[in-house]
Amino acid sequence: MNNDKLDALIKRIASEHGIVLTKDDPVLMMHTLNEVLLEQNEKAQAELLNKYEAILQENFSQWQTFASKKANVLINAQQSHFSKNNDQLTDNGMQQVSEIIRITINHEIRELTRISRQAAIMNLLAAILVLVSVVIVVFMLL
């Protein structure tokens, strides 16, 4: 521990606890020992972490290779199966999509027609109310 840190520690202990320590005090020796042990522990943990990371990287690489091989086998099998059934499935799918679109469009057209009729009826009723109002106002003014 350098002298600046040691002086700062002595000042802090003096200000917080009202006890003045000297540089040869056993308490400071224990503090320095704890710092050395913490530094060694930090280095050991960093080394263990590096080893663990290397093992994980190696295992990941092996798993990736294995998974890639399995995926390629599955993809190739699926592609050969898909190419056999592709035309039939595509035709069936297109027919179903076309039917769904046709049904949906017909439904939407019916719904828009219904809404348009309702709007026309409401406009007609509004026009009749305006006409009745005008007639009433004209008769009241006469």
Side-chain angles (χ1 to χ4, degrees):
M1 184 175 197
N2 64 26
N3 283 335
D4 292 340
K5 286 185 178 180
L6 191 57
D7 290 339
L9 181 62
I10 291 171
K11 287 178 185 178
R12 183 173 178 186
I13 291 172
S15 69
E16 288 184 18
H17 302 286
I19 298 172
V20 178
L21 299 177
T22 60
K23 290 187 180 189
D24 60 346
D25 196 302
V27 171
L28 292 178
M29 183 176 57
M30 289 305 296
H31 177 73
T32 304
L33 180 61
N34 280 338
E35 276 193 346
V36 169
L37 291 174
L38 284 172
E39 288 171 3
Q40 290 175 353
N41 189 19
E42 183 180 322
K43 288 177 186 175
Q45 285 183 357
E47 186 178 319
L48 286 174
L49 185 62
N50 288 337
K51 286 180 183 178
Y52 182 66
E53 183 179 4
I55 290 170
L56 281 178
Q57 285 289 349
E58 182 181 340
N59 287 340
F60 178 74
S61 177
Q62 289 174 356
W63 177 83
Q64 187 177 17
T65 302
F66 174 77
S68 293
K69 287 179 183 177
K70 284 291 188 183
N72 286 335
V73 168
L74 289 172
I75 288 171
N76 290 336
Q78 185 64 26
Q79 282 177 339
S80 66
H81 178 71
F82 180 73
S83 64
K84 292 176 186 175
N85 297 325
N86 188 26
D87 292 338
Q88 182 184 4
L89 291 174
T90 302
D91 290 343
N92 289 341
M94 291 303 289
Q95 288 173 357
Q96 289 175 355
V97 167
S98 296
E99 184 65 20
I100 290 170
I101 290 172
R102 187 186 62 75
I103 290 169
T104 303
I105 288 173
N106 286 340
H107 176 72
E108 290 298 321
I109 289 172
R110 282 190 213 109
E111 185 66 20
L112 286 173
T113 303
R114 185 185 63 80
I115 290 170
S116 295
R117 279 190 198 128
Q118 288 177 347
I121 291 170
M122 292 183 81
N123 283 336
L124 184 60
L125 289 174
I128 291 171
L129 283 173
V130 167
L131 180 62
V132 169
S133 298
V134 168
V135 170
I136 291 173
V137 168
V138 168
F139 279 118
M140 292 184 77
L141 290 176
L142 289 178

